[in-house]
Amino acid sequence: MVARDARFGTSDARAAIRARALAAGFDAVGFARPQSAAAAGERLRQFLAEGRHGEMAWMEDRADWRADPTALWPEAKSVIVCALNYGAPEATTDPGRGVIATYARGRDYHELLKGKLKFVADAITGPLGGDVKVFTDTAPVLEKPLAAAAGLGWQGKHTNLVSRTFGSWLLLGEIFTTLDLEPDAQESDACGTCSRCLEVCPTAAFPAPYQLDARRCISYLTIEYDGHIADEFRAPIGNRIFGCDDCLAVCPWNKYAHTAHEAKLHPRAETTSPSLAELAALDDATFRKRFAGTSIKRTGRDRFVRNVLIAIGNSADAALVPAARVRLTDSSPLVRAMAVWALGRLDPAAYAAERARRVATESDEGVRAEWNRAA
């Protein structure tokens, strides 16, 4: 139980909550009404109807709750949106090394945010006497529209939140409460005529400004998608092995961004420009050990090494041929298929020789397709 603070016995509940959130380490906090995301709910329904969520069935499972926070918890009168700055990216240009999305280079932010949110929530359930529910992005909540409604920024043309103070680098969490708190003024859209985020996308994942087709997004393909990644996306993926920061990093508002002050979000050595050869050699146990406590672990070894082999295939580095070749006999069809593809890109002669020995005994259709691609 968190000790009560006399400040939270005052009538200014908003000021007390804001002070508590800042004391917890959040960089920004705002207040909104649950119903303020109604328009975003309609956009979500259209997004799902067009199938742009790909295989993320969890988005459909509780679509009604996502589209209407009042359905999630009818008694809630206010939403407190808390944001944590996670700094700016530093991508490697070395094709022999992988690029991991900035948010995933430190500790898994889900538990970090949840602990901070509970610290803030204790002040509401105690001195202020309100009921609360705490959410991170693992819950069916439209975080970005609520953050925009709470005055923390606006959803840019890439659909992500943009802040005048922190650029594109904010992690979000929400506290729903029965307290009736005055909402903040909504931030106006300041993208103007800029379209850098749309133009920089390697896979053309934006069919129009403010629209995303997740099925073409590198973050979706390398993290959420558990199948054989289509050939058209492999070369554009480059050396991105977990997520993609391109549309975020190019935003001009990042000139105001700050380095993250939360030490637990700072990049770990094992997530900063890691060697592709080392990563390709990971088995399940070494994968779990290397990425313990990070968001990367959630994706699982097979999907991750699949991504690594795509990066190896894009490297144009013949020194990585042995790293691809050894994975031809991997137990995972996902891994075997991309090992075949990588070998074919780096050493066509070795590919042809291996194909003669292996294609007849391959049981997985996706892997066979890779062996037969250049036959």
Side-chain angles (χ1 to χ4, degrees):
M1 177 66 68
V2 176
R4 294 190 177 189
D5 188 322
R7 293 178 298 169
F8 305 131
T10 69
S11 60
D12 192 350
R14 278 173 43 101
I17 294 168
R18 190 182 301 276
R20 183 77 166 188
L22 296 176
F26 285 110
D27 294 286
V29 58
F31 302 84
R33 299 291 186 200
Q35 58 270 30
S36 61
E42 290 304 314
R43 293 194 296 272
L44 171 64
R45 292 187 178 96
Q46 184 65 28
F47 174 81
L48 295 172
E50 293 174 354
R52 291 180 176 177
H53 59 303
E55 296 188 1
M56 294 184 288
W58 48 267
M59 294 192 73
E60 291 184 275
D61 292 342
R62 295 185 176 179
D64 290 341
W65 283 7
R66 292 182 188 279
D68 182 8
T70 61
L72 177 62
W73 189 24
E75 291 79 13
K77 295 180 180 178
S78 305
V79 181
I80 304 156
V81 184
C82 299
L84 186 64
N85 170 41
Y86 66 100
E90 294 180 3
T92 178
T93 57
D94 183 344
R97 295 185 173 274
V99 174
I100 293 171
T102 304
Y103 81 87
R105 295 178 194 168
R107 176 179 167 182
D108 188 339
Y109 71 88
H110 296 88
E111 293 302 318
L112 178 62
L113 258 65
K114 187 179 295 184
K116 292 179 182 294
L117 290 169
K118 287 182 177 179
F119 177 80
V120 180
D122 282 341
I124 299 172
T125 57
L128 297 177
D131 291 331
V132 299
K133 290 184 185 293
V134 171
F135 301 104
T136 61
D137 69 1
T138 55
V141 176
L142 290 177
E143 295 190 311
K144 291 178 286 188
L146 285 172
L152 298 188
W154 67 94
Q155 281 190 265
K157 293 177 183 178
H158 52 16
T159 76
N160 293 293
L161 192 74
V162 182
S163 163
R164 293 178 184 271
T165 306
F166 300 101
S168 298
W169 315 110
L170 286 176
L171 300 170
L172 302 173
E174 299 76 38
I175 302 171
F176 282 51
T177 179
T178 54
L179 292 181
D180 190 357
L181 303 169
E182 181 182 355
D184 285 307
Q186 187 162 345
E187 179 70 89
S188 59
D189 187 320
C191 286
T193 60
C194 179
S195 58
R196 294 184 191 179
C197 60
L198 310 181
E199 296 162 358
V200 77
C201 181
T203 52
F206 301 106
Y210 307 102
Q211 295 182 30
L212 171 69
D213 188 339
R215 296 169 296 184
R216 302 186 64 86
C217 176
I218 291 176
S219 286
Y220 166 78
L221 292 168
T222 58
I223 299 173
E224 301 289 347
Y225 184 61
D226 63 1
H228 297 292
I229 294 175
D231 185 64
E232 67 174 301
F233 301 125
R234 295 175 194 170
I237 283 174
N239 62 342
R240 303 170 188 83
I241 57 176
F242 189 89
C244 179
D245 283 331
D246 287 21
C247 66
L248 302 177
V250 76
C251 180
W253 286 98
N254 288 332
K255 64 185 177 181
Y256 299 112
H258 311 284
T259 301
H261 65 77
E262 173 57 67
K264 292 176 181 177
L265 294 177
H266 291 172
R268 298 182 176 187
E270 59 268 26
T271 61
T272 304
S273 302
S275 161
L276 294 177
E278 288 182 14
L279 297 180
L282 296 175
D283 59 18
D284 189 66
T286 54
F287 169 81
R288 290 176 176 275
K289 181 178 180 180
R290 179 170 183 140
F291 296 113
T294 73
S295 299
I296 299 169
K297 185 181 175 183
R298 295 169 179 263
T299 295
R301 177 263 179 186
D302 293 349
R303 267 186 274 184
F304 184 76
V305 176
R306 171 201 64 183
N307 302 339
V308 170
L309 286 163
I310 290 176
I312 286 176
N314 288 327
S315 70
D317 185 356
L320 290 173
V321 167
R325 203 164 191 162
V326 75
R327 297 272 69 88
L328 294 175
T329 56
D330 198 88
S331 61
S332 166
L334 283 180
V335 173
R336 291 201 305 277
M338 290 305 94
V340 173
W341 182 80
L343 183 63
R345 297 263 291 186
L346 296 179
D347 190 339
Y351 169 91
E354 291 287 355
R355 178 186 181 280
R357 293 195 303 123
R358 301 184 185 279
V359 68
T361 59
E362 177 54 56
S363 60
D364 182 81
E365 182 179 349
V367 183
R368 284 201 307 273
E370 294 301 327
W371 278 123
N372 289 324
R373 179 182 301 274

